[in-house]
Amino acid sequence: MTAAVPTDADLMAAHAAGDPQAFSELVRRHRDRMWAVALRTLRDPEEAADALQDAFISAFRGAANFRAESQVTTWLHRIVVNACLDRIRRRQARPTVPLPETGFNEPATPRDSISDRETNLVVTAALDQLPEDQRAPIVLVDVEGYSVSETAKLLGIAEGTVKSRCARGRAKLAKVLGHLRNPDAIANVPTSESKRSPRREA
């Protein structure tokens, strides 16, 4: 008789109880999705890999405190996003220009690569100027593409708080990035008047 496949919650409980293989199985199950989150948030494979490693180390150490008040994947998302935000915050002190990358479902555009990298640096610097409580929902909603509801769950705050923090953050970004507001501007930094929230594709 085939044993039932353990749920994520089962694996978390087993890890907390000392099972040396349980957390590794969780990583195997969710690594690809967490990698996609880190890569889309940071737009730099090297930075994303480092953030993901930091996140899994934090998750491994903090798993005993998981109280099953949310899904394991939501808990992991929150840790990965926080690790990414930590790296975004550090960029202002040591800005870097990543080499052009192909793959990751994003076709190379050599003609515009320099301009794109410069724009990304400007946007990253602008994000660094936002208070932490505004930067987190802006990154999740406008960069990562989560819904307001999903963002509220990830950050553990009310949906109305997400909306108000995004509105304040967008207003500040609109002032700092005013010179980028044209038809070719980066779509993930809408103006304060915009009410469109990007959605992730299924």
Side-chain angles (χ1 to χ4, degrees), residues 98-115:
L99 294 174
E101 293 285 343
T102 57
F104 307 109
N105 298 320
E106 296 183 4
T109 52
R111 184 183 62 180
D112 297 325
S113 60
I114 294 177
S115 175

Side-chain angles (χ1 to χ4, degrees), residues 26-191:
L26 272 176
V27 171
R28 279 193 291 272
R29 284 185 184 182
H30 303 296
R31 183 179 181 86
D32 288 349
R33 187 175 180 186
M34 298 302 120
W35 163 251
V37 170
L39 185 61
R40 288 198 300 268
T41 302
L42 291 168
R43 297 292 182 181
D44 181 330
E46 224 174 279
E47 286 276 295
D50 289 343
L52 192 61
Q53 181 176 347
D54 291 345
F56 279 135
I57 290 173
S58 295
F60 181 88
R61 292 173 176 170
N65 299 320
F66 179 71
R67 293 291 178 264
E69 295 174 354
S70 62
Q71 292 186 352
V72 173
T73 51
T74 299
W75 178 76
L76 285 173
H77 267 81
R78 186 180 299 123
I79 294 175
V80 172
V81 168
N82 285 336
C84 291
L85 292 175
D86 284 342
R87 291 191 169 270
I88 289 174
R89 185 169 57 249
R90 296 171 196 159
R91 282 179 175 177
Q92 188 172 19
R94 50 176 185 80
T96 59
V97 180
L99 294 174
E101 293 285 343
T102 57
F104 307 109
N105 298 320
E106 296 183 4
T109 52
R111 184 183 62 180
D112 297 325
S113 60
I114 294 177
S115 175
D116 288 346
R117 292 200 303 274
E118 290 175 348
T119 299
N120 286 337
L121 284 175
V122 171
V123 172
T124 296
L127 285 169
D128 287 336
Q129 296 178 39
L130 294 178
E132 186 73 18
D133 65 337
Q134 294 174 16
R135 186 187 307 116
I138 285 286
V139 168
L140 284 170
V141 175
D142 293 338
V143 177
E144 177 58 26
Y146 283 95
S147 68
V148 170
S149 176
E150 290 168 325
T151 298
K153 291 178 182 177
L154 285 171
L155 297 179
I157 58 179
E159 291 185 23
T161 303
V162 172
K163 293 177 181 178
S164 63
R165 290 180 180 179
C166 281
R168 290 198 299 271
R170 287 168 183 161
K172 292 177 181 178
L173 288 176
K175 292 179 181 178
V176 176
L177 301 174
H179 61 290
L180 296 179
R181 291 173 62 184
N182 58 61
D184 297 322
I186 289 182
N188 60 14
V189 185
T191 66

